[in-house]
Amino acid sequence: MASLYLSSEHLTGFEHYKYSALDTSPLSNYIMHPFWNAVVKLCPSWLAPNVLTFTGFLLTVVNFITFSYYDFSFYAPAAIPSLIWLIVAINHFLAHSLDGIDGKQARRTRSSSPLGELFDHGLDSWSTIFTPTCLYSVFGRSDYSISPLRFYFCLWSVFFTFISSHWEKYNTGVLYLPWGYDFSLILAFITYLITFSQGVTFWHHTIPVINMSTGTCLELFLHLGAYGLSLPVSLYNIYVSYRDKTGKMRTLYEANRPLVSTLVFFCICTVWVTYSPVDIISHHPRCFYLLMGTVFSNISCRLIVSQMSNTRCALLNYMMLPVAVVTFLSIQHFPGEVFLLYLVTLCTIIAHSHYGVVVVRQMCQHFNLYCFQLKRPSSE
């Protein structure tokens, strides 16, 4: 029998869950949502929302695999065929659109459920590694870009942006959607189209006035979005919930439990990339990014489960342990660091996929639902 990840307390909590989100972004409200409201009408009424969610996620994975095939180590984006940029742009646009209409399809078909939100946000947490890494493929390691180590910290800015939103909801009960989400995805789509039209050399220049390379501008954009916009807004919203007594009113320790795993994992990964005898982040960046993105996704998924079921968030995530062991062995010059990286990445992907499948099956069984069909299972 498969391991069960959701306790009876989790499942009972999901029964009382009500979706509460606030999107104040002008871009979303005046452009994206009207567009998605029109697009969702093209979907047949029998199509399950989770099919849209999963298809969009798979398109981001396809883009990641495509770039991995043509330029695994980010050395030669110029070698990527021109048509690939167009295909990636289309996939990216479709993925963004599908992510925007899945909830609308759920309301349209009266099939909204905690499973749909968990499924959507859980896959979004894994996309935090695939989407920005694909964008980095545009710039690569050129003289006008940044090193894999610097992009490593860019990815952590993306991770902290995502986790801060759900940490915020864990304490306030409301998901305040980040303003930068739609803006960054539209910017990425435009970037792919320009690259298809003009080639990667279009980005090989320094921007006048500010005297910064295009790659450095991307780096600055990601850091400012995380620490200059998303995190301060999250802190303010949590403060307001305590001031007005509208949130969960947890103690300081309990309120910050969701951040512990992320911060500890950040420290583990940073120690590895800093003291790696083979400079693992420079020679095998894509695999390292995938490893840390997968573990981060598992951390995020467990937090999402806790905030949706109104249960206590776990302090530490067990999936960090094998990464910590490999980090220790590596900095102790244990032979086979590269092999250990690929091994722990594969095991992590399998473990996280198992977690996702089992959680979805538990939710389906508890709420008497099919994941990818609108009809309900027979009660016989």
Side-chain angles (χ1 to χ4, degrees):
M1 180 181 293
S3 300
L4 299 181
Y5 294 106
L6 300 182
S7 66
S8 57
E9 184 183 8
H10 287 132
L11 295 171
T12 301
F14 276 118
E15 292 176 0
H16 303 287
Y17 174 75
K18 292 184 178 180
Y19 180 65
S20 179
L22 185 62
D23 189 353
T24 59
S25 166
L27 175 63
S28 299
N29 288 321
Y30 295 110
I31 298 178
M32 302 313 303
H33 282 294
F35 171 70
W36 292 331
N37 287 334
V39 171
V40 74
K41 295 176 182 178
L42 302 176
C43 298
S45 58
W46 50 261
L47 186 62
N50 288 340
V51 173
L52 302 175
T53 305
F54 193 56
T55 301
F57 170 74
L58 289 180
L59 289 172
T60 65
V61 175
V62 167
N63 282 351
F64 179 84
I65 294 173
T66 300
F67 283 133
S68 299
Y69 175 79
Y70 285 103
D71 185 23
F72 188 77
S73 298
F74 305 100
Y75 275 113
I80 299 174
S82 177
L83 183 61
I84 294 299
W85 297 110
L86 178 60
I87 294 173
V88 166
I90 294 172
N91 287 347
H92 177 86
F93 176 79
L94 290 175
H96 185 198
S97 299
L98 291 172
D99 188 49
I101 68 173
D102 53 4
K104 298 180 185 297
Q105 176 72 353
R107 291 185 286 274
R108 181 169 172 254
T109 57
R110 299 180 181 178
S111 59
S112 299
S113 70
L115 170 63
E117 182 179 343
L118 178 60
F119 194 75
D120 184 8
H121 293 164
L123 291 178
D124 283 345
S125 71
W126 212 354
S127 294
T128 56
I129 187 63
F130 298 121
T131 302
T133 303
C134 287
L135 188 59
Y136 183 47
S137 293
V138 174
F139 302 92
R141 305 192 195 196
S142 71
D143 295 335
Y144 299 94
S145 185
I146 57 177
S147 67
L149 178 60
R150 286 170 63 179
F151 187 70
Y152 160 85
F153 288 105
C154 289
L155 285 174
W156 275 105
S157 291
V158 175
F159 293 167
F160 283 126
T161 298
F162 185 90
I163 204 74
S164 66
S165 295
H166 291 280
W167 167 57
E168 180 183 357
K169 187 181 180 184
Y170 181 79
N171 287 291
T172 66
V174 180
L175 179 63
Y176 296 89
L177 300 174
W179 278 30
Y181 177 72
D182 287 322
F183 178 78
S184 61
L185 291 181
I186 292 174
L187 184 63
F189 172 64
I190 295 172
T191 300
Y192 294 138
L193 288 181
I194 292 175
T195 308
F196 163 68
S197 174
Q198 304 296 323
V200 294
T201 55
F202 176 85
W203 308 104
H204 292 177
H205 62 269
T206 299
I207 299 176
V209 182
I210 61 175
N211 196 32
M212 292 175 59
S213 68
T214 51
T216 304
C217 287
L218 170 65
E219 178 184 36
L220 183 63
F221 169 77
L222 292 174
H223 290 322
L224 287 178
Y227 309 116
L229 183 61
S230 294
L231 186 57
V233 169
S234 293
L235 290 171
Y236 177 75
N237 288 332
I238 292 174
Y239 161 75
V240 170
S241 74
Y242 275 83
R243 183 195 65 190
D244 299 341
K245 294 181 171 54
T246 58
K248 302 296 183 179
M249 305 305 295
R250 293 186 166 97
T251 64
L252 181 64
Y253 171 74
E254 291 297 331
N256 288 288
R257 277 177 68 93
L259 299 180
V260 175
S261 284
T262 302
L263 293 173
V264 170
F265 186 54
F266 169 72
C267 292
I268 293 171
C269 291
T270 303
V271 167
W272 191 353
V273 300
T274 302
Y275 297 102
S276 167
V278 302
D279 193 8
I280 201 75
I281 196 65
S282 293
H283 293 94
H284 301 272
R286 194 176 292 271
C287 186
F288 197 93
Y289 297 156
L290 181 58
L291 169 63
M292 68 183 198
T294 303
V295 175
F296 171 76
S297 178
N298 194 264
I299 294 171
S300 299
C301 287
R302 292 173 186 270
L303 169 58
I304 294 168
V305 166
S306 295
Q307 52 102 335
M308 289 183 66
S309 61
N310 198 27
T311 54
R312 193 186 194 199
C313 181
L315 187 65
L316 295 172
N317 187 294
Y318 78 94
M319 289 185 68
M320 297 188 298
L321 180 59
V323 181
V325 171
V326 172
T327 298
F328 175 78
L329 293 176
S330 297
I331 64 178
Q332 294 298 317
H333 296 269
F334 188 85
E337 179 181 356
V338 174
F339 170 77
L340 290 175
L341 168 65
Y342 282 84
L343 178 62
V344 74
T345 301
L346 176 62
C347 292
T348 298
I349 292 172
I350 294 172
H352 183 48
S353 299
H354 181 267
Y355 172 83
V357 169
V358 171
V359 166
V360 168
R361 291 180 63 182
Q362 281 190 263
M363 292 284 286
C364 287
Q365 182 176 10
H366 184 77
F367 288 100
N368 194 36
L369 298 170
Y370 284 121
C371 183
F372 299 117
Q373 297 181 44
L374 291 180
K375 69 176 184 178
R376 291 178 176 270
S378 172
S379 59
E380 294 181 0

